[in-house]
Amino acid sequence: MDDSNIRTAGTGSSFAEDTSIPLPPEKKVVFYNDNYTTMEFVVDILVSIFNKSHEAAEKLMMQVHEQGSSTVGIYTYDIAVSRTNLAIQAARKNGYPLRVEIE
């Protein structure tokens, strides 16, 4: 069978469709230092909610502790909001005032 007469959709049209999908904007999730939230709790949150390795979580926690704040991840808006809310809920449940913001 001769396939030369078979055309795919859009082939030969006078205009090209833009089928690219724009990537959603990304937001930073930032942890801020306080004098009450324990370092161990911050590491636990970074491992359990932000999927960081224990080593990476400890480095981020030290940045927060020494510099006052640190970006712990960059995510699409919906994921950033979800993880931020989970972290804040876990902190409040455990009596910590951990401050997490989306920038």
Side-chain angles (χ1 to χ4, degrees):
M1 174 174 204
D2 182 16
D3 289 333
S4 62
N5 291 332
I6 299 174
R7 303 184 94 174
T8 59
T11 303
S13 64
S14 61
F15 63 93
E17 271 187 61
D18 182 11
T19 58
S20 63
I21 298 173
L23 295 174
E26 294 185 326
K27 299 290 184 179
K28 295 178 184 179
V29 176
V30 180
F31 276 33
Y32 290 89
N33 191 42
D34 64 65
N35 293 326
Y36 302 101
T37 306
T38 65
M39 293 178 178
E40 294 81 14
F41 182 79
V42 172
V43 170
D44 289 344
I45 290 296
L46 290 170
V47 170
S48 64
I49 295 175
F50 291 88
N51 300 318
K52 303 294 182 189
S53 69
H54 192 76
E55 182 179 302
E58 285 183 343
K59 286 181 183 179
L60 285 168
M61 176 273 299
M62 288 306 296
Q63 286 178 349
V64 171
H65 180 69
E66 293 172 352
Q67 299 171 10
S69 68
S70 181
T71 298
V72 300
I74 300 174
Y75 307 96
T76 60
Y77 178 77
D78 290 341
I79 293 172
V81 168
S82 176
R83 291 184 184 191
T84 296
N85 288 339
L86 288 170
I88 291 170
Q89 288 172 2
R92 299 309 176 267
K93 181 179 177 182
N94 287 280
Y96 295 118
L98 178 64
R99 182 172 152 212
V100 183
E101 293 188 4
I102 299 170
E103 297 179 355

